[in-house]
Amino acid sequence: MTEITRDMVLGALKAITDPMTGQPLAQSKTIQGLIVKGPHIGFTLEIDPAQAAQMEPVRKAAEDAVKAIPGVLTVTAVMTAHNEAPAGAPRPEVKAGTAALKGKQSQGTDKAAGGKSGPQAIPGVGAIIAVASGKGGVGKSTTAVNLALALHAQGKSVGILDADIYGPSIPRLLKLSGKPTSADGHTISPMEAYGIKAMSIGLMVSEDQPMIWRGPMVMSALTQLLTDVAWAPIDILVVDMPPGTGDAQLTMAQRVPLAGAVIVSTPQDIALIDARKGLAMFRQTDVPVLGIIENMSSFICPDCGGTHHIFGHGGARETADELGMDFLGEIPLHMDIRTTSDAGTPIVASAPDGPHAQAYQAIAAQVIAKLDAAADAPAGPTISMG
Ligand code: ADP
């Protein structure tokens, strides 16, 4: 297949006129940050925020023109505002595709489709749940994978989307390799592992490539992983969110039509109140928090058989109570969880009848019950923040 070059992309953009300057888009300063990574193309349109509505059709036309180049697999064109908002004012919005900021999620229905105020539901994808943490290293990805497999074991068709742009670990946890493929040249086929569909931002770039993404690129890459991957039909899409509560995470929480979020925390993480920040983040974005999971909760000593609370114990349950949140359960700190994770044979799949798998199963059952309850509710989430 012929290699896609910058010139080919710019050539395609010549056909589109920039209404602001009257020049072909390729020659105007509007196009910035062109990235060509094999068949994956990304660029931004730097615009005056006041012109956002006018420029949206231009962005779409630019995306379509580049998509029409033979061999191009994905195109990400996002608008960014080129002037900074004054201090204290809301940041200028970055528009990626049809996603827009702020708004209640649509519980898997098409309620938000066509509306300007919320992220759009993905046809054929039921509930999207985020697995989040206040910081890295608490076992968020391990929990996300095992939760996804437990949901699958309970009869759900499940996908897992690794949105952890800083350290995508789903390929390792599920032993995925190779590049995603596309049958029709436009829609990316998800990978499959242990009966669930999987896609990771880590599969889109090579491992030795530094993960340098401009903010808007991150958002648009996520939008693509949601909308250009053939997830459907699935009941539940588990999104392994990037750790932390910064702007990137907040924007993601706002853009993805989430049915709910699960917060993973270690006992000491709760002490540092990182997880509370996570809760606040979802509150800001109107995403119902399904509950907190305490990971690395206790250590059962293989030699003496005793239970040790290395990082303290019960902090997550207490914090959950304090904040009026549900506590979904605890997962012990155990060597088998780590070794199976690192070997790409997650414990729920490799030892489904063991006590650790059962701990994940119990949490998955609660998640399903909550999603069902929310779907049955007449309006809005049934779980509210304290
Ligand atoms: P995060 O996604 O929060 O950065 P990971 O899921 O990558 O965290 O986990 C970090 C490390 O901790 C990994 O080596 C993983 O195998 C290990 N780990 C996660 N949860 C547990 C657990 N309950 N018991 C033992 N090791 C765990």
Side-chain angles (χ1 to χ4, degrees):
M1 197 185 286
T2 46
E3 205 189 341
I4 315 290
T5 61
R6 291 175 64 86
D7 283 346
M8 287 162 78
V9 175
L10 291 171
L13 292 173
K14 271 196 192 130
I16 297 155
T17 306
D18 183 346
M20 298 303 139
T21 62
Q23 286 181 339
L25 204 53
Q27 279 152 30
S28 74
K29 288 221 174 69
T30 305
I31 298 287
Q32 298 284 331
L34 174 60
I35 294 177
V36 178
K37 274 191 180 143
H40 306 290
I41 318 295
F43 52 88
T44 55
L45 283 82
E46 296 213 350
I47 57 149
D48 179 339
Q51 253 89 56
Q54 243 175 304
M55 290 299 283
E56 171 55 21
V58 179
R59 185 202 65 75
K60 180 85 182 65
E63 204 168 72
D64 291 346
V66 177
K67 243 184 206 161
I69 301 172
V72 167
L73 195 55
T74 65
V75 183
T76 303
V78 296
M79 293 199 280
T80 61
H82 55 57
N83 51 348
E84 282 294 316
R91 299 268 180 101
E93 289 182 12
V94 176
K95 289 215 161 188
T98 47
L101 292 181
K102 202 80 183 165
K104 294 212 188 291
Q105 68 82 36
S106 55
Q107 301 291 6
T109 69
D110 231 4
K111 209 161 56 189
K116 289 195 187 73
S117 61
Q120 293 204 357
I122 305 168
V125 174
I128 304 180
I129 56 170
V131 178
S133 64
K135 62 171 191 178
V138 301
K140 170 182 55 61
S141 300
T142 302
T143 307
V145 161
N146 282 299
L147 176 62
L149 291 168
L151 292 167
H152 172 63
Q154 290 178 35
K156 299 290 179 188
S157 54
V158 177
I160 185 160
L161 166 53
D162 183 2
D164 190 345
I165 39 171
Y166 306 112
S169 44
I170 300 296
R172 177 174 49 85
L173 291 172
L174 289 176
K175 231 195 287 181
L176 304 174
S177 60
K179 289 272 165 211
T181 56
S182 171
D184 62 3
H186 291 296
T187 313
I188 306 166
S189 309
M191 304 235 166
E192 295 252 356
Y194 306 106
I196 63 172
K197 294 177 180 171
M199 181 54 68
S200 167
I201 195 133
L203 297 169
M204 313 287 278
V205 291
S206 69
E207 260 174 48
D208 48 7
Q209 219 161 18
M211 271 284 180
I212 303 165
W213 295 84
R214 293 178 60 190
M217 288 288 160
V218 167
M219 303 319 148
S220 56
L222 179 73
T223 306
Q224 274 205 309
L225 287 177
L226 280 165
T227 56
D228 291 355
V229 170
W231 293 110
I234 49 171
D235 299 319
I236 301 175
L237 181 63
V238 175
V239 181
D240 183 10
M241 297 281 281
T245 51
D247 276 1
Q249 291 80 1
L250 188 60
T251 311
M252 276 193 193
Q254 287 166 325
R255 280 177 194 281
V256 179
L258 295 173
V262 168
I263 314 265
V264 181
S265 179
T266 57
Q268 82 275 30
D269 172 33
I270 279 283
L272 295 169
I273 65 163
D274 281 331
R276 289 177 199 226
K277 282 194 238 153
L279 298 180
M281 175 176 86
F282 287 110
R283 174 155 49 185
Q284 249 179 299
T285 51
D286 286 338
V287 172
V289 176
L290 302 176
I292 302 180
I293 299 171
E294 187 169 277
N295 190 35
M296 309 193 193
S297 175
S298 53
F299 174 68
I300 300 160
C301 175
D303 299 326
C304 72
T307 300
H308 304 283
H309 297 122
I310 294 174
F311 299 124
H313 184 241
R317 188 186 290 273
E318 275 166 30
T319 303
D321 278 354
E322 238 173 73
L323 297 171
M325 304 298 314
D326 283 329
F327 181 69
L328 295 175
E330 41 193 69
I331 304 292
L333 173 71
H334 199 281
M335 187 82 92
D336 291 349
I337 298 180
R338 193 194 65 71
T339 50
T340 50
S341 262
D342 293 349
T345 55
I347 198 138
V348 169
S350 57
D353 300 323
H356 306 313
Q358 277 166 22
Y360 288 112
Q361 293 290 2
I363 291 171
Q366 285 199 60
V367 168
I368 291 172
K370 282 170 185 294
L371 292 175
D372 288 348
D376 290 344
T382 49
I383 304 121
S384 59
M385 302 285 305

